[in-house]
Amino acid sequence: AMIAEQNYFSLQAAIDAVQEGETIVLMKDINVETPAYGQNALNYARAINFTLDLNGKTLSASTGNSVFRYNITQAGATDDVTVTIKNGTITAGENTWCVVMAAGLSADVRAVYNLEDLTINASKPGDLAVKAWDYALINAKNVTVNATKGAGGFYAVGGEIVLDNCTVNQEGLWTEPYLSMAVAVSTGG
């Protein structure tokens, strides 16, 4: 990954180093094998707005919980924090619960995801690819979710998701313990 002229040998290192308003550019397809936080392949818990440009490349992981965890609950944020991910493909392996998830701090301090021009591949039976937890806002524009093996698309579980020209292609059915869903809302979402 690169930020301006600086190279980073892992995407997590670039995420840890990014400063306000900067853009991280992915330079090649990557598969994250070592989780950054628990079972999350990549983790972001800072109060800095930035963009991740996948640059037409593919980011994939099968570490367990999510490919990209975005949680500002302990970041000391006093205003909304916005992360934009755009221009590429994100793939979660069949043991990974979701592709991207976000959680904010309060109604006044939200975690905002702008997902733009993405293809998202998910294959964990009975779960959904994109999740907005409490106080998260996900703006998805031109996003296609390919959900196989009974996986689902978008889930507002306490948070909010705004869809603009999005598609969920769903294959397979999962009935235990959850039904397969393209779009779901619960817990005040």
Side-chain angles (χ1 to χ4, degrees), residues 118-122 129-130 143-147 152-154 167-170:
L118 293 174
T119 298
I120 293 175
N121 301 310
V130 177
V143 174
T144 297
V145 175
N146 297 310
F154 298 93
T167 302
V168 177
N169 299 309
Q170 192 173 26

Side-chain angles (χ1 to χ4, degrees), residues 2 7 22 25 29 43 85 88 95 123 131 159-160:
M2 287 188 79
N7 287 312
E22 290 184 326
V25 179
D29 295 343
N43 184 58
I85 301 177
N95 294 321
S123 59
K131 294 180 184 173
E160 179 181 356

Side-chain angles (χ1 to χ4, degrees), residues 55-78:
N55 192 28
K57 308 294 188 244
T58 298
L59 162 63
S60 60
S62 188
T63 58
N65 197 15
S66 67
V67 176
F68 196 106
R69 175 185 181 265
Y70 173 30
N71 187 335
I72 62 167
T73 58
Q74 298 174 341
T78 56

